[in-house]
């Protein structure tokens, strides 16, 4: 391998060690209590190296979150392609497998010590994916807004509970349960809408 390739691999390994150290520390305390000194000591990286790549702990956290969010967003595609199917969409199954494969990081980011902004961005992403299934384009009613909010917050709450309680259900089982719940909300919305006509 050439020197440039070695350097890139070295940079990736350094950033990975810093990321792993931050995840480990977030399991113990909030980000505001984490110092660069303890982070670099745990990662076995010099402070100068840390500051070469990041301005501070929050910059490292923001870059980790950005990478995770972009990964999640691209994996999901269209989360709810059609609510008439009994089978959870592949995107929902993929989401839970992704969360499971990246359990330490996702658990840290969604834990009480994590960043509420990251969780908020996950909610917004899910809302973008769901809105078309609870509201007809251009004529969103308050009721549809509340149903979408209920579905999205229920999904995020379920994800948080699953991650923070040791992922006792399989990713496929979680996808199936959430899919059933979202479909039930949509069915209730349709039924209620017909009753009020």
């Amino acid at each position: 391998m050439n020197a440039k390739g070695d350097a890139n691999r070295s940079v990736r390994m350094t950033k990975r060690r810093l990321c792993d150290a931050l995840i480990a520390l977030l399991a113990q305390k909030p980000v505001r209590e984490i110092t660069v000194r303890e982070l670099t000591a745990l990662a076995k990286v010099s402070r100068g190296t840390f500051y070469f790549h990041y301005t501070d702990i929050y910059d490292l956290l923001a870059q980790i979150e950005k990478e995770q969010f972009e990964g999640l967003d691209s994996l999901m595609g269209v989360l709810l392609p059609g609510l008439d199917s009994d089978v959870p969409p592949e995107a929902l199954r993929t989401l839970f497998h992704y969360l499971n494969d990246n359990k330490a990081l996702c658990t840290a980011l969604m834990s009480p010590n994590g960043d509420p902004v990251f969780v908020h961005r996950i909610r917004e992403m899910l809302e973008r994916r769901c809105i078309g299934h609870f509201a007809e384009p251009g004529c969103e009613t308050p009721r549809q807004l509340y149903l979408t909010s209920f579905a999205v917050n229920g999904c995020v709450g379920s994800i948080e509970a699953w991650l923070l309680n040791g992922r006792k259900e399989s990713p496929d089982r979680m996808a199936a349960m959430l899919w059933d719940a979202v479909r039930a909300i949509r069915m209730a919305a349709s039924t209620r809408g017909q009753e009020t006509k």
Side-chain angles (χ1 to χ4, degrees), residues 29-166:
K29 56 184 159 181
V31 67
R32 69 181 175 277
E33 295 178 13
I34 298 172
T35 66
V36 171
R37 183 179 307 276
E38 68 183 322
L39 177 78
T40 54
L42 184 60
K44 295 183 173 56
V45 171
S46 74
R47 292 179 72 202
T49 299
F50 173 86
Y51 285 115
F52 181 77
H53 297 291
Y54 307 103
T55 56
D56 56 22
I57 298 284
Y58 292 99
D59 183 33
L60 169 59
L61 180 61
Q63 289 190 36
I64 291 169
E65 289 177 351
K66 180 178 183 285
E67 182 181 310
Q68 291 307 304
F69 185 79
E70 288 172 356
L72 284 170
D73 197 35
S74 67
L75 277 175
M76 291 179 67
V78 178
L79 177 61
L80 302 174
L83 290 168
D84 53 346
S85 172
D86 290 338
V87 179
E90 186 60 32
L92 190 56
R93 291 180 62 251
T94 300
L95 169 65
F96 276 99
H97 281 278
Y98 178 89
L99 293 168
N100 194 55
D101 293 344
N102 296 279
K103 58 188 169 278
L105 177 57
C106 293
T107 301
L109 291 176
M110 296 187 85
S111 75
N113 291 335
D115 185 2
V117 173
F118 179 76
V119 177
H120 179 73
R121 289 184 70 195
I122 295 292
R123 280 190 175 94
E124 286 180 335
M125 177 185 65
L126 287 171
E127 187 171 323
R128 276 198 325 272
R129 304 293 188 192
C130 293
I131 191 74
H133 296 280
F134 293 96
E136 294 175 21
C139 58
E140 295 156 8
T141 66
R143 184 166 177 273
Q144 292 164 328
L145 173 71
Y146 299 139
L147 285 172
T148 300
S149 178
F150 184 81
V152 167
N153 285 299
C155 287
V156 172
S158 296
I159 289 169
E160 287 175 316
W162 180 65
L163 286 170
L164 298 176
N165 290 301

